[in-house]
Amino acid sequence: MFSVGVQVDNGDSSYRSFVENARKLEDVAIVISPVKDNVAVVTADFLAQGAKLKYGGEALTISDRVLRGQSFAIQPIRKGKPYVTLGDPIGLASRAVHPGDPITDKNLEHRLPKLAVRYRDNAAPVRLDPSLAGLTFDGYTRPDGSVGTRNYVAIVTSGMCSSTEAHEIAGRAMREIYTREKYPNVDGVVAISQESGCGMPNGHAVTLLNQLLANTLRHPNLGAAIYIDLGCGKTCVECSAPIFQNAVPSYKERVVNLVIQLSGGSMKTVDRGLEITRRLLDYANEFERRPVPVSKLVVGTKCGGSDRWSGVTANPAVGVAADMFVKAGAAVFLPEIPELQGAAMINLAQRARTRQVGRKLTQALKRYEAYVHMFGEDFRDNPSPGNVKGGLYNIFLKSSGVKAKGGTSTVEDLVEYGEWLGDRKGLFVLYTPGYDQISTPALFLSGAQVVLFTTGRGTGIGCALGPVMKIGSNSPLARVNGDIDIDAGTILERKESTEEVGRKIFQETLDVASGHKLTRAEQAGYHHEFKIWESLWPTY
């Protein structure tokens, strides 16, 4: 145990009085992993210098003011030894630290002790839970057997040169043609635009963009689509449609190609697009929701606008739901390679299905580091000012919280950016940046039909390809921010357990997937974000 200063438990009545009069640490702070952690996180608005706390039968004094979400030591930590929270090392003590000392840049060195990866084969098969595997959701079954959680008619652009017309067609279709009463089985008309398609190198870049466009057009959340093209880019209809026809099931039935240069210009293209959209709405309306097994789901996980509580409440609760989906026979994505550093990636590599997969994971981190170095930057500069203000001291702490979204299941494989998952089941790490506006669409571009997005500071993000559920890490955010679908802050307030909130997320995901409930982003009606990772290639 520990003591502070001269307050040594030697039978002195003043020390006993100190302990008896101290507040319980649990009333104002939390130790997340009591067996491993040597720091606590403040849950009160702040702790003043001199505040006396009791923990584990001993007492400590807060040596300086420490704010909500920030941490203080609960054990003596020698210089050079790690701070541990969430069960993981998140930095080294740059000087001797005493119980009650706040963790700040003055005593925190942003590096880790040497960590070794022990690659191993985890051959045990996924044990399905019959009670979960027997559940269903109401989805749209497509001709190839894939299942959508939404039934959109999409206007998909070949590049920036056709994006204005695409947005005009979608906007006017929603105002002038579409109503739920007229098309009860269709969830709307959306524009899905991106900024490449021309001014880019041949070879790998065009091949990858065609793959991303094919994955957009084949996505089961689309009942039908227009592929709209100016007519002279590197992903023009003439160039790309033959590729799409080989990759997109029922392409000729589900997709209509539209070329601006062959349609008489922008205004005539919009008029023509509206005529086509009307026909495609009739076609998409023929699909109806039917009960399908939960195993047909691919669930994406994501976090953005994180705070200290994201890794304490929302992310672990999503992890509980993720484990439930895996046990139901479904698939789950864990993205954000640059936010899986330090002990987080080592844990994932050691949970990999095979040694080979484990090495793929650690090599993915090195590959991403090399990518960032091409721009002369250090990818450990990740935490944003908002993250730091919220108590996330560095990328190692942030990563340990990010990892929690994937739950505890075996990692089946690394899925590359733009790679279609198909019928594979289980937990997969997806190669993406951490940036919300790229990583969230990337989940759908690899086959996710719904995304669970945790946030501690708030965001309204949605996606043109499907529903994005927002899980708030703290109740004050959930009370005032209208973008939050589920409040995980009840864990911190001890109203619900992590497991209870996880089960709630699981059930609400099924409700959203079934169309019984719209996410807040969908209710807003204008959150159709979609961005691809253009910085993977140069611009000419």
Side-chain angles (χ1 to χ4, degrees), residues 480-530:
V480 302
N481 191 306
D483 297 321
I484 304 302
D485 294 285
I486 295 178
D487 177 16
T490 54
I491 298 169
L492 197 63
E493 297 185 349
R494 297 181 174 86
K495 296 177 180 177
E496 294 179 287
S497 68
T498 303
E499 290 71 24
E500 288 172 330
V501 176
R503 290 194 293 271
K504 181 189 299 183
I505 293 170
F506 177 84
Q507 182 57 56
E508 187 147 333
T509 304
L510 296 184
D511 292 340
V512 167
S514 298
H516 301 159
K517 186 172 185 178
L518 296 179
T519 66
R520 295 292 180 88
E522 291 178 295
Q523 292 171 25
Y526 44 73
H527 273 295
H528 299 144
E529 288 86 348
F530 187 83

Side-chain angles (χ1 to χ4, degrees), residues 33 109 123 136 154 203 224 237 288 299 322 429 464 534:
S33 300
E109 189 175 351
T136 64
V237 166
E288 296 182 3
V299 179
V429 173
E534 288 100 351

Side-chain angles (χ1 to χ4, degrees), residues 33 56 63 76 78 110 164 174 182 188 196 212 242 254 269 284 288 291 302 339 352 446 451 459 469 501:
S33 300
S63 62
R78 299 198 309 273
H110 297 285
T164 299
M174 288 298 290
K182 188 172 182 180
S196 290
L212 296 170
R254 292 177 61 192
T269 298
E288 296 182 3
K302 179 72 181 77
E339 297 189 359
S446 284
V451 167
T459 176
M469 291 170 51
V501 176

Side-chain angles (χ1 to χ4, degrees), residues 302-532:
K302 179 72 181 77
C303 55
S306 300
D307 68 352
R308 186 64 174 91
W309 308 121
S310 296
V312 179
T313 61
N315 290 356
V318 167
V320 169
D323 284 343
M324 293 177 70
F325 279 112
V326 171
K327 291 176 182 177
V332 175
F333 279 136
L334 177 64
E336 303 178 276
I337 293 296
E339 297 189 359
L340 293 171
Q341 297 188 40
M345 182 56 84
I346 288 176
N347 173 266
L348 291 169
Q350 292 178 168
R351 284 164 47 195
R353 173 63 65 191
T354 65
R355 289 180 172 87
Q356 181 184 12
V357 171
R359 291 188 179 94
K360 285 171 67 174
L361 295 176
T362 54
Q363 286 299 317
L365 192 59
K366 293 178 181 178
R367 187 174 10 136
Y368 202 98
E369 183 174 16
Y371 162 76
V372 174
H373 283 172
M374 289 194 309
F375 301 91
E377 302 296 339
D378 185 342
F379 81 154
R380 292 187 176 87
D381 291 340
N382 176 283
S384 68
N387 291 155
V388 175
K389 186 177 180 180
L392 289 175
Y393 295 110
N394 57 33
I395 186 58
F396 305 122
L397 173 56
K398 188 177 184 182
S399 292
S400 290
V402 168
K403 172 198 68 177
K405 300 194 307 295
T408 61
S409 300
T410 299
V411 179
E412 300 296 334
D413 207 349
L414 173 74
V415 174
E416 296 293 342
Y417 175 73
E419 179 184 351
W420 192 252
L421 183 68
D423 292 330
R424 289 175 284 178
K425 308 298 182 184
L427 174 64
F428 296 85
V429 173
L430 181 63
Y431 191 90
T432 77
Y435 178 36
D436 301 347
Q437 308 295 349
I438 294 177
S439 185
T440 303
L443 292 161
F444 288 98
L445 285 169
S446 284
Q449 307 112 307
V450 61
V451 167
L452 307 178
F453 191 113
T454 67
T455 183
R457 300 184 65 81
T459 176
I461 189 172
C463 187
L465 271 174
V468 179
M469 291 170 51
K470 250 66 68 54
I471 298 98
S473 72
N474 61 89
S475 293
L477 173 74
R479 283 194 289 267
V480 302
N481 191 306
D483 297 321
I484 304 302
D485 294 285
I486 295 178
D487 177 16
T490 54
I491 298 169
L492 197 63
E493 297 185 349
R494 297 181 174 86
K495 296 177 180 177
E496 294 179 287
S497 68
T498 303
E499 290 71 24
E500 288 172 330
V501 176
R503 290 194 293 271
K504 181 189 299 183
I505 293 170
F506 177 84
Q507 182 57 56
E508 187 147 333
T509 304
L510 296 184
D511 292 340
V512 167
S514 298
H516 301 159
K517 186 172 185 178
L518 296 179
T519 66
R520 295 292 180 88
E522 291 178 295
Q523 292 171 25
Y526 44 73
H527 273 295
H528 299 144
E529 288 86 348
F530 187 83
K531 184 174 179 59
I532 63 172

Side-chain angles (χ1 to χ4, degrees), residues 3-12 14-16 58:
S3 58
V4 182
V6 297
Q7 294 158 337
V8 179
D9 188 2
N10 56 4
D12 190 296
S14 63
Y15 178 79
R16 289 196 298 271
E58 300 288 342

Side-chain angles (χ1 to χ4, degrees), residues 139-144 146-156 185-190 192 215-227 248-256 276-289 464-466:
Y140 296 100
T141 300
R142 305 304 181 188
D144 66 337
S146 63
V147 177
T149 64
R150 293 294 181 267
N151 190 29
Y152 299 128
V153 170
I155 320 299
V156 178
N185 298 322
V186 180
D187 295 297
V189 181
V190 295
I192 304 179
N215 288 355
T216 302
L217 293 167
R218 75 188 295 181
H219 200 283
N221 284 355
L222 304 188
I226 294 175
Y227 182 67
V248 179
S250 306
Y251 184 83
K252 292 183 179 180
E253 290 77 25
R254 292 177 61 192
V255 183
V256 175
I276 297 171
T277 299
R278 196 185 302 272
R279 296 204 314 268
L280 292 180
L281 281 166
D282 289 333
Y283 173 80
N285 197 54
E286 295 176 5
F287 293 97
E288 296 182 3
R289 289 189 182 271
L465 271 174

